[in-house]
Amino acid sequence: MSSATGLRSDVVSSGAATDEATNSATMQTGILDLAPSLPPRGSTLVHRPELEALRAWNLDRKIVLICAAAGYGKSTVLRHWCASDASRPTIWVPLDQSDNAARALLARLMSGLHQLAPLDSEVIGTLNRRTTSVDAAMLTALTRSMAQRAPFQLAVDDLHIITDAHSLQVIRHTVDTIPAGCQIVIATRSDPDIRLARMRAAGDLLEIRSESLTLNVEATAEYLALLGVTATDASVESLHEATEGWPAGIALACLASGTDGRHGLPAHLNGQRHQIAEYFVEEVLSSLDDDTRSFLLRTAVVRRFSAELVNAKLERQDAHEIITRLAASNSFLIPLDDDHRWFRYHHLFQDLLNDQLDRIDTADRRVLLQRAARWHHEHGTIDEAFDYAQRAGDMAMAGRLMLGSWGRLASRGQMATLLMWLGRSSDEEIASDPSYSIIAGWVHALTGEVRRAEFFAAAAQRHRLDVPSADGAASLASALANLRSAIGASGVEQMLEDGQFVYDAELPSRSRWLIGGCRAIGTAHLLLGHLDEALDALHEAIRLAGGDDATAHAEVHCLGLAAFGHLDRGEVDPAGARVLDANRLMARNGLESTFEAMAPTAADAVVSYRRGNLPRARRLLGAVTDRLSIADAAPWYKASIAIRLGELAADLEDSATAERLVGAASKSLGILPDAGTLPGRLSQLRDRLVRPSAGYAILTPAERRVLVQLATHKTLAEIGKTLYVSRTTVKSHVSSIYSKLGVTSRHEAVSRLPTSGRAG
């Protein structure tokens, strides 16, 4: 380029000509040397039929803009775009820093035109006048020279180099006055200031951007083959994923492993690999000022960002302007929405930026992540808020965020999300914070891991708890008591004590956790056999929940337990009403397969049996029995359901299922210090399986249904309505029952009823 630069100097700044012929010869020689011919077709061009089709369809476009970040093959596409047009000659104008001056740039353009046909003496004279800048006469000469040589293609490479205002005016003039039938093809890293919007609206502009230059998997494989690298399908897909189809990244990956491919592609590729890091530093970071470089480093700590997030995170006000400038310069910034509000960096570029930030200041990363977490929390994007808090190592913030949002997610059946969040931290990290420990206890309790639930409940107990809880409870102590009462591993008496603690703590504010206190009190009384107290507390919990989807899981649970209480009092219809409410709530919130659904579904099975719907009773019995392990985290809950279902299985003469349920109940009760009436009820079930109720087995199914109804104190006519038969039919069945059982009164008949069919 040194000789070219010198010859160019002859064109733009030589003295006034004294001999036109001499001047013409001098000018001609310089121009011919200044404009290199179009480079030959490269050997590593990947077959891109979509780009070839674009060229064929857009021959009449005034401007073709190839705009993308470094390494996307813009120059290669530019060469082949122009070489493929046999109908027009091409003027090739590769720019460098020496062209960032108006007269030098004009000389470059005029040199290209001179190659098509020699410039006349008048034009040469105009160009060689002594002026400090490009004037109107020179621009007129450019316009006339282009018109005389049309049609042609003008290929301008690396236009982003041109930043001088006068030089940009030369480019704009060239674009505005390009003759009909000509086409300007520009390769650049940033949008040039040439009134693109106006040309776009007029239909004069074709834009080829990064998304069109990105290689897909098939093109990546072809590119590797052109580079002489042999790769398996799996390694090609892995490389494509890591590079996101960035051509330079693919080539650099091959360089990292040896260009002959003998060593195979690197197993892991990131922006910290020497060749890739060096490329980014030289091609992107080195050209930026310190403030912009710092902006890139400090925004790269998050997966995506907006101007609002960046202003909050970096405590500045100009993020929108900087992001707009970076997006225009294609600094590996990828828009994530049509409005260009959210962006991310190319993954390899982000790797490099993160590595560079860690080399400078690792403490800064923690602060930035904490600020990002707070911003996302304030704007309701909790998943990202939690992720950044956890990555910052701020377990207290992570715990508060998760504890504050888990109820909403649980009510929607999104336990997998909660488990995924927990999986991002070690047990030690979780146990280091009480909020994090409490939420971990809840998640493991609701997914059947009783030992882990107890572990985290015990971990929470070791911290200070007399502070407000992020889930809205009056304190962390109340939140922990609520969790502990739900697990119930410390026995029924402790459950009642914990429930009363929660109730007393939450009553002043009437927070939603008052429901938890009522649930625990009601459950404990139910297990102790205090049915009136149990139903009072459970019905209060149901009223407090009030059909709100946010507390749907708790309401479903309490409806099921209340149904148990009504069944124990022999109240089939109220039990059925509670089951119906629970079924509707479960269907609306997708809770049919949850921990809380076990109780109403088990109650539904018993209600169905007592109403004579044996097929439904058997189906529900099997469904709940098969899912009984869901209740593992709450031994009292599993034992209570297993015993009730075992009684139902005995009624249905399904001894195998009954024995299976007895075993499950025994195992659960074995880890409880006290379990109220459950051990005695289990003992009765065992006795019954060994010695079935005398005479009961010889009753017909219809007679058994009538006997169950006799325990409800309904009249014969009311029993007939319940079973959809006449009073006469009921009376006939009662007479047969008395005869078969050898009894003479309703009370004696009911006494022969198996345990699951009796009133409390």
Side-chain angles (χ1 to χ4, degrees):
M1 288 299 298
S2 59
S3 61
T5 302
L7 290 169
R8 186 184 305 112
S9 179
D10 290 339
V11 176
V12 298
S13 60
S14 63
T18 57
D19 184 276
E20 187 174 287
T22 302
N23 190 18
S24 176
T26 301
M27 188 70 184
Q28 191 175 54
T29 302
I31 290 169
L32 289 174
D33 287 345
L34 280 172
S37 60
L38 187 68
R41 179 182 291 272
S43 60
T44 57
L45 179 70
V46 176
H47 179 59
R48 303 293 297 277
E50 67 276 14
L51 293 181
E52 294 173 10
L54 271 179
R55 191 197 64 78
W57 298 336
N58 292 278
L59 292 175
D60 59 343
R61 296 273 190 174
K62 183 177 179 180
I63 302 292
V64 176
L65 181 68
I66 306 170
C67 186
Y72 273 92
K74 300 181 297 297
S75 298
T76 301
V77 172
L78 176 64
R79 286 197 302 268
H80 288 274
W81 184 281
C82 296
S84 299
D85 190 347
S87 63
R88 295 177 290 202
T90 300
I91 300 173
W92 179 255
V93 184
L95 302 175
D96 58 32
Q97 288 295 342
S98 64
D99 296 306
N100 197 22
R103 296 198 65 175
L105 177 60
L106 179 63
R108 174 74 76 178
L109 294 170
M110 297 300 288
S111 296
L113 292 169
H114 184 78
Q115 283 195 327
L116 297 186
L119 299 174
D120 59 47
S121 58
E122 182 180 351
V123 169
I124 293 173
T126 299
L127 293 174
N128 283 331
R129 286 185 298 107
R130 289 185 179 275
T131 63
T132 57
S133 62
V134 172
D135 57 22
M138 293 179 177
L139 293 178
T140 300
L142 171 62
T143 301
R144 184 158 57 87
S145 297
M146 288 194 296
Q148 291 170 346
R149 289 157 182 79
F152 59 83
Q153 279 193 132
L154 177 61
V156 182
D157 197 12
D158 290 332
L159 183 58
H160 56 273
I161 290 173
I162 304 302
T163 57
D164 174 72
H166 298 293
S167 299
L168 287 172
Q169 182 59 37
V170 172
I171 294 295
R172 280 194 293 269
H173 181 83
T174 304
V175 170
D176 290 344
T177 61
I178 191 80
C182 296
Q183 186 176 72
I184 302 179
V185 189
I186 297 171
T188 178
R189 293 184 187 178
S190 58
D191 285 351
D193 183 13
I194 55 174
R195 295 183 279 269
L196 290 177
R198 187 181 68 180
M199 289 184 287
R200 192 179 291 124
D204 291 335
L205 176 66
L206 171 67
E207 298 173 80
I208 301 174
R209 297 190 177 272
S210 300
E211 57 268 23
S212 299
L213 302 177
T214 298
L215 302 181
N216 59 23
V217 175
E218 293 74 19
T220 299
E222 183 181 347
Y223 189 31
L224 290 173
L226 290 171
L227 294 174
V229 176
T230 301
T232 64
D233 290 345
S235 61
V236 169
E237 290 183 6
S238 177
L239 179 63
H240 177 266
E241 181 180 357
T243 61
E244 300 186 60
W246 177 42
I250 296 168
L252 291 169
C254 296
L255 182 63
S257 58
T259 54
D260 58 4
R262 289 179 298 179
H263 304 291
L265 294 173
H268 301 287
L269 188 67
N270 58 49
Q272 299 161 31
R273 277 188 172 267
H274 171 69
Q275 291 87 350
I276 295 175
E278 192 173 71
Y279 184 91
F280 281 132
V281 170
E282 291 180 358
E283 295 293 331
V284 182
L285 296 182
S286 63
S287 63
L288 301 175
D289 58 75
D290 291 343
D291 184 60
T292 304
R293 191 158 43 244
S294 173
F295 183 93
L296 289 172
L297 296 179
R298 302 177 78 209
T299 52
V301 300
V302 294
R303 294 196 308 269
R304 64 176 188 136
F305 56 88
S306 66
E308 295 88 346
L309 169 58
V310 172
N311 280 333
K313 188 176 66 169
L314 302 189
E315 297 182 327
R316 58 193 304 162
Q317 301 298 322
D318 60 347
H320 178 74
E321 292 76 10
I322 297 177
I323 291 173
T324 300
R325 187 173 72 246
L326 289 172
S329 66
N330 285 296
S331 298
F332 292 91
L333 195 64
I334 300 171
L336 297 177
D337 52 36
D338 293 338
D339 296 332
H340 285 208
R341 180 169 178 257
W342 286 94
F343 296 86
R344 72 169 176 86
Y345 292 113
H346 187 289
H347 294 319
L348 292 179
F349 189 44
Q350 187 173 28
D351 288 342
L352 167 74
L353 295 175
N354 277 299
D355 182 60
Q356 296 246 330
L357 179 63
D358 285 341
R359 292 171 187 268
I360 297 170
D361 187 356
T362 55
D364 196 26
R365 172 185 297 279
R366 174 182 167 86
V367 173
L368 294 172
L369 287 170
Q370 287 173 320
R371 291 176 184 169
R374 284 193 291 271
W375 187 91
H376 277 288
H377 181 220
E378 292 168 2
H379 289 77
T381 41
I382 302 301
D383 191 11
E384 285 175 280
F386 174 81
D387 180 46
Y388 296 140
Q390 192 273 335
R391 283 171 50 193
D394 191 337
M395 296 303 116
M397 183 186 292
R400 289 194 302 273
L401 288 169
M402 196 170 179
L403 187 60
S405 59
W406 83 275
R408 173 176 51 84
L409 294 174
S411 69
R412 297 175 182 174
Q414 295 178 266
M415 296 304 299
T417 299
L418 294 168
L419 283 169
M420 178 185 69
W421 287 6
L422 286 178
R424 297 175 185 172
S425 302
S426 67
D427 286 358
E428 292 73 18
E429 288 174 326
I430 295 171
S432 70
D433 178 73
S435 295
Y436 215 169
S437 297
I438 290 171
I439 184 55
W442 272 116
V443 172
H444 288 300
L446 295 175
T447 53
E449 297 185 69
V450 62
R451 295 304 182 195
R452 290 184 62 72
E454 289 184 82
F455 169 81
F456 288 116
Q461 186 66 51
R462 295 193 292 269
H463 295 275
R464 179 186 172 188
L465 302 175
D466 59 341
V467 294
S469 177
D471 61 359
S475 66
L476 287 176
S478 179
L480 177 58
N482 195 23
L483 166 64
R484 197 165 49 216
S485 69
I487 300 171
S490 299
V492 177
E493 295 295 342
Q494 182 63 52
M495 182 189 296
L496 184 58
E497 182 179 331
D498 284 334
Q500 194 63 54
F501 180 89
V502 173
Y503 187 86
D504 293 341
E506 305 301 329
L507 185 59
S509 64
R510 298 192 69 82
S511 77
R512 65 190 180 97
W513 295 112
L514 191 59
I515 300 171
C518 293
R519 170 199 51 77
I521 293 170
T523 299
H525 281 307
L526 179 66
L527 297 176
L528 291 168
H530 307 157
L531 300 183
D532 291 342
E533 293 89 340
L535 288 172
D536 285 345
L538 293 169
H539 287 155
E540 183 176 356
I542 294 166
R543 285 193 298 272
L544 289 168
D548 186 352
D549 288 348
T551 54
H553 59 292
E555 186 174 357
V556 164
H557 190 50
C558 291
L559 283 166
L561 296 175
F564 284 164
H566 285 299
L567 287 170
D568 287 351
R569 288 207 307 200
E571 300 168 351
V572 177
D573 288 343
R578 299 291 83 76
V579 166
L580 183 60
D581 289 342
N583 286 343
R584 288 171 179 164
L585 200 55
M586 288 189 291
R588 190 172 76 206
N589 292 276
L591 301 176
E592 294 91 342
S593 300
T594 61
F595 171 93
E596 293 86 357
M598 299 291 287
T601 308
D604 194 355
V606 177
V607 169
S608 297
Y609 172 77
R610 294 197 185 183
R611 287 176 170 172
N613 191 343
L614 302 189
R616 179 176 176 83
R618 290 191 179 94
R619 178 173 60 79
L620 294 174
L621 169 64
V624 181
T625 300
D626 289 342
R627 295 190 295 112
L628 197 58
S629 60
I630 293 176
D632 281 348
W636 65 267
Y637 189 52
K638 183 176 181 180
S640 181
I641 291 172
I643 291 169
R644 293 173 186 278
L645 291 178
E647 293 167 352
L648 175 60
D651 289 347
L652 293 169
E653 299 180 359
D654 184 351
S655 58
T657 300
E659 292 288 355
R660 174 184 169 190
L661 290 162
V662 165
S666 299
K667 184 176 180 180
S668 293
L669 291 179
I671 61 176
L672 293 174
D674 65 280
T677 62
L678 292 182
R681 197 160 176 169
L682 177 61
S683 178
Q684 289 179 352
L685 176 57
R686 282 201 187 97
D687 291 343
R688 180 179 164 197
L689 292 176
V690 176
R691 296 183 298 276
S693 299
Y696 182 77
I698 65 175
L699 299 180
T700 66
E703 291 167 347
R704 293 180 186 180
R705 290 194 290 274
V706 170
L707 179 56
V708 168
Q709 293 300 317
L710 290 176
T712 65
H713 307 293
K714 293 178 181 178
T715 66
L716 296 187
E718 289 171 337
I719 292 174
K721 288 180 180 179
T722 300
L723 300 179
Y724 302 101
V725 297
S726 68
R727 181 183 184 283
T728 302
T729 300
V730 174
K731 186 176 181 180
S732 175
H733 284 319
V734 170
S735 177
S736 179
I737 291 169
Y738 285 8
S739 175
K740 290 180 179 180
L741 297 180
V743 298
T744 59
S745 69
R746 184 168 181 165
H747 176 75
E748 288 182 295
V750 170
S751 70
R752 302 292 181 88
L753 191 66
T755 306
S756 70
R758 299 180 189 172

